[in-house]
Amino acid sequence: MRYNYDMNYYQAKTDKDFSYIAALFNPQNNQYMWSKQQTPNQVKQTSGKNRHHYILTLDGKPIGWFNLRWPSDRREALTGMIIDKPYQGKGYGKQAMEFVVAEAKKLRIKKLRLEVFLENKRAINLYQKAGFIITDRLLAMEKKL
């Protein structure tokens, strides 16, 4: 498939990369995510042998993130993705999903899983077009004390 823009990805390695990823985890960027702020150091500490963070770029400029995390047997991996707010709704998610799948194949992962909020219809549509099927329903609850 041909795109009219130069979108790529690379594995996050530097403090600048981890700072960018941490900045994506904010309620202003995405209303459909767990409300957890992350520091660059927290993101960096989660990166390792069985979990990789990747930066999505458009014409060399960071526009998003995805990750892959898997057990040692690599039968399946969990993935997550955030496209930075200014770039959402412009078709970049489709190519980003192709990158996720390509990277998982490079890592010899056999199955991908992800979680998405039921209200996030646009993401659900994207994932289904990429071949994901709904397998579970998740209900999150909380109580303030």
Side-chain angles (χ1 to χ4, degrees):
M1 174 170 282
R2 297 204 74 132
Y3 296 93
N4 294 328
Y5 43 85
D6 187 18
M7 192 169 162
N8 288 296
Y9 71 98
Y10 64 90
Q11 189 174 344
K13 299 264 190 207
T14 69
D15 288 342
K16 184 178 177 183
D17 294 338
F18 296 119
S19 292
Y20 175 74
I21 294 166
L24 289 172
F25 282 88
N26 68 73
Q28 293 79 29
N29 186 53
N30 190 342
Q31 65 186 10
Y32 302 111
M33 62 187 277
W34 297 110
S35 58
K36 61 178 181 179
Q37 296 290 326
Q38 300 247 342
T39 67
N41 196 42
Q42 287 171 320
V43 176
K44 185 177 185 177
Q45 287 177 349
T46 65
S47 190
K49 181 181 173 189
N50 293 356
R51 182 174 185 162
H52 295 172
H53 294 279
Y54 301 87
I55 304 286
L56 295 161
T57 64
L58 177 65
D59 297 325
K61 180 182 178 191
I63 67 160
W65 156 90
F66 73 90
N67 76 347
L68 292 166
R69 51 196 185 280
W70 61 90
S72 59
D73 64 10
R74 297 185 190 226
R75 281 185 292 180
E76 68 178 44
L78 260 135
T79 188
M81 176 174 63
I82 299 173
I83 302 294
D84 203 0
K85 185 76 169 175
Y87 299 94
Q88 292 177 11
K90 299 181 180 183
Y92 301 124
K94 182 177 180 182
Q95 189 173 1
M97 283 308 306
E98 292 173 12
F99 290 155
V100 171
V101 170
E103 191 64 19
K105 286 180 179 179
K106 280 187 209 174
L107 293 167
R108 298 185 324 266
I109 292 168
K110 306 291 184 230
K111 181 184 354 177
L112 281 173
R113 293 179 53 93
L114 57 80
E115 296 173 352
V116 60
F117 282 97
L118 294 172
E119 298 86 10
N120 195 348
K121 304 294 185 201
R122 189 165 55 188
I124 291 169
N125 186 45
L126 168 71
Y127 300 143
Q128 287 178 319
K129 284 182 179 178
F132 286 81
I133 57 170
I134 297 171
T135 58
D136 297 309
R137 299 229 180 251
L138 173 68
L139 175 63
M141 299 173 73
E142 68 180 26
K143 178 180 178 176
K144 291 187 180 189
L145 303 175

